[in-house]
Amino acid sequence: MPTDLSGFLQNQKALVTGGNSGIGEGCALALGAAGASVAVNYISDEPEAHRVVAAIRQMGRDAIAIQADVSKEEDVQRMFAETIRQFGTIDILINNAGLQQDAPFHEMTLRQWERVIGVNLTGQFLCAREAAREFLRRGVVPEVSRAAGKIICMSSVHEVIPWAGHVNYAASKGGVMQLMKSMAQELAPKKIRINSIAPGAIRTPINRLAWETPAALQALLTLIPDRRIGEPEDIARTAVWLASDFSDYITGATIFVDGGMTLYPGFATGG
Ligand code: NAD
């Protein structure tokens, strides 16, 4: 598998929310490998953020760690101001931070509902808005990219697959789908490209219970026609491509990176 990404994103400046773990970490490392300077956002676990920053610097790229809760407007504005102060501008936002707070529907508290919507949906709105403001201020710099900026929203197969016991999460990702498409429609004339990646089951801390025992993994694999769990690198390579000019004519799209999970595997034997 080709892993040499160098040069794809030369001289570009990226911000990855929730970049100290799982898919965000994978994206931050891949963007660095592709030549970008990377701001690694974290809400907690600062040492992990510094570990990712060190790995990117090891590649000879610029990297910084920035603490912020993406659901808080003042935190997001401070994070963008700090990134722009240090890097000069931003070309790529990976809107990745997300969480689950699961409960049977009739037991779900308003707090659980609001926290998941607040981080997964409002957080993506707040970060995308700050990124768009910077892209609009700066415009296209042809030596850097054909686009004035790129936003990649981390959605989920649950933007289309309903998910019992996780209604807050599924609703947040359904919301991300229309947030992404509506932003893409509005901002395409300004040369801002906005797309989503919808991961299937990826081996990260968020879904540890689904893969850490052999029995759980076996059950999970019945939902995946490709019969393997995804790795953060599967998502990261797609993110680099979506952030690069190789995908210049793509905007408003969701790329499903799911080993076929959205292909109704229950119907594989005729239903
Ligand atoms: P993860 O738990 O490893 O990473 C989530 C990251 O978001 C962590 O760094 C966490 O600290 C951060 N975060 C949470 N709340 C935050 C906040 N308020 N402000 C800033 N950062 C915050 O899990 P992951 O699997 O890497 O998840 C990354 C994204 O991918 C999420 O949006 C998730 O919904 C999505 N996703 C994951 C899978 C999967 O199978 N792993 C599948 C579909 C979608």
Side-chain angles (χ1 to χ4, degrees), residues 17-25 41-45 68-72 79 95-100 115 118-120 124 154-158 169 172-173 197-207 211 229-230 232 235:
T17 64
N20 61 338
S21 173
I23 290 171
E25 172 180 351
N41 157 252
Y42 64 97
I43 183 169
S44 56
D45 210 347
D69 178 340
V70 298
S71 70
K72 296 196 172 134
M79 172 170 72
N95 236 345
N96 167 77
L99 47 72
Q100 289 179 215
R115 187 62 186 150
V119 174
N120 296 11
Q124 293 218 15
M154 208 53 70
S155 183
S156 163
V157 290
H158 295 296
Y169 185 85
S172 74
K173 297 300 185 179
I197 297 175
I202 310 298
R203 195 192 310 266
T204 74
I206 208 173
N207 58 0
W211 52 262
I229 187 169
I235 307 303

